[in-house]
Amino acid sequence: MSSTNNVLILLARVLLSFMFIMSGFGKLADPAGTAGMIAGAGLPAETALAYLAGLYELIAGLFLLVGFQTRITAWTVALFCVFTGLVFHTGTVAIEGWPEGALGWINTLNQIMVMKNITLAGGYILLAVIGAGAYSIDARRGAATAIA
């Protein structure tokens, strides 16, 4: 694989890791919003699940950033994106006391979040298929073979 392709794979890993690192850190620092979404979806142990989601997102984001266990991590993140998109961002949002115009905006944003999650899943699947590239911990360990 050319060095240009390996630089582009590194850039893709950095960009694909950013959201998970920032989101995971945010959930660990203040899990209340996530716990509310989890409770709203009818799942139990909302605070514990919010912390677990934050920890997973932070660790997965860091693994992607440095290219460690990239193929496995990318597959799990792709599944996470589809799951969270379908469970937390489908359906109509109705918040008591909010004006109709604000709810319309929130519902539009929610639709965008579903599309974002599904689209990102495609990027993570591609990363799972091609691997971490030469500039990664996986490459140093001999586990980063990618499609030429």
Side-chain angles (χ1 to χ4, degrees):
M1 179 176 294
S2 74
S3 63
T4 301
N5 285 348
N6 280 303
V7 168
L8 292 174
I9 292 170
L10 172 62
L11 176 62
R13 281 196 351 256
V14 169
L15 295 174
L16 287 167
S17 72
F18 180 73
M19 179 178 70
F20 276 84
I21 293 168
M22 298 305 293
S23 180
F25 180 75
K27 282 178 178 69
L28 292 172
D30 184 11
T34 302
M37 287 184 74
I38 291 169
L43 298 173
E46 58 272 4
T47 301
L49 286 176
Y51 277 115
L52 284 173
L55 187 61
Y56 166 77
E57 288 179 9
L58 181 61
I59 290 171
L62 292 171
F63 276 21
L64 293 172
L65 178 67
V66 300
F68 178 71
Q69 296 291 325
T70 304
R71 291 177 189 269
I72 294 168
T73 303
W75 277 115
T76 67
V77 171
L79 292 172
F80 183 88
C81 284
V82 171
F83 173 80
T84 57
L86 295 177
V87 171
F88 298 109
H89 298 297
T90 56
T92 303
V93 177
I95 302 171
E96 188 176 327
W98 280 46
E100 192 63 35
L103 291 177
W105 181 83
I106 289 172
N107 282 300
T108 298
L109 182 60
N110 217 24
Q111 292 171 353
I112 292 168
M113 296 297 280
V114 172
M115 290 184 284
K116 178 238 353 151
N117 279 31
I118 300 301
T119 301
L120 280 171
Y124 293 116
I125 290 169
L126 185 59
L127 187 59
V129 169
I130 66 169
Y135 307 119
S136 66
I137 291 175
D138 287 346
R140 289 212 174 260
R141 297 173 54 237
T145 55
I147 295 172

